[in-house]
Short mmCIF file of all heavy atoms in Angstrom, two decimals:
data_model
loop_
_atom_site.label_atom_id
_atom_site.label_comp_id
_atom_site.label_asym_id
_atom_site.label_seq_id
_atom_site.Cartn_x
_atom_site.Cartn_y
_atom_site.Cartn_z
N GLU M 88 26.17 -11.22 -62.78
CA GLU M 88 24.78 -10.90 -63.15
C GLU M 88 23.91 -10.77 -61.90
O GLU M 88 23.05 -9.90 -61.80
CB GLU M 88 24.21 -12.00 -64.05
CG GLU M 88 24.77 -11.98 -65.46
CD GLU M 88 24.36 -13.22 -66.26
OE1 GLU M 88 24.37 -14.33 -65.70
OE2 GLU M 88 24.06 -13.06 -67.45
N SER M 128 18.75 -15.55 -42.15
CA SER M 128 19.58 -14.80 -41.20
C SER M 128 19.93 -13.41 -41.73
O SER M 128 20.01 -12.45 -40.99
CB SER M 128 20.85 -15.59 -40.93
OG SER M 128 21.42 -16.00 -42.14
N THR M 217 6.69 -50.02 -52.36
CA THR M 217 6.70 -51.41 -52.77
C THR M 217 5.55 -51.72 -53.71
O THR M 217 4.40 -51.38 -53.40
CB THR M 217 6.58 -52.33 -51.52
OG1 THR M 217 7.49 -51.88 -50.55
CG2 THR M 217 6.85 -53.77 -51.86
N GLU M 299 -6.32 -61.80 -49.70
CA GLU M 299 -7.51 -61.02 -49.33
C GLU M 299 -7.09 -59.72 -48.61
O GLU M 299 -6.35 -59.78 -47.60
CB GLU M 299 -8.41 -61.85 -48.42
CG GLU M 299 -9.78 -61.21 -48.29
CD GLU M 299 -10.66 -62.01 -47.32
OE1 GLU M 299 -10.54 -63.25 -47.27
OE2 GLU M 299 -11.45 -61.34 -46.60
N LEU M 363 14.33 -62.35 -54.81
CA LEU M 363 15.17 -62.96 -53.79
C LEU M 363 14.32 -63.18 -52.53
O LEU M 363 13.38 -62.41 -52.30
CB LEU M 363 16.33 -62.03 -53.43
CG LEU M 363 17.28 -61.71 -54.58
CD1 LEU M 363 18.21 -60.60 -54.16
CD2 LEU M 363 18.06 -62.93 -54.99
#
Side-chain angles (χ1 to χ4, degrees):
E88 287 170 319
S128 49
T217 312
E299 194 183 325
L363 299 170

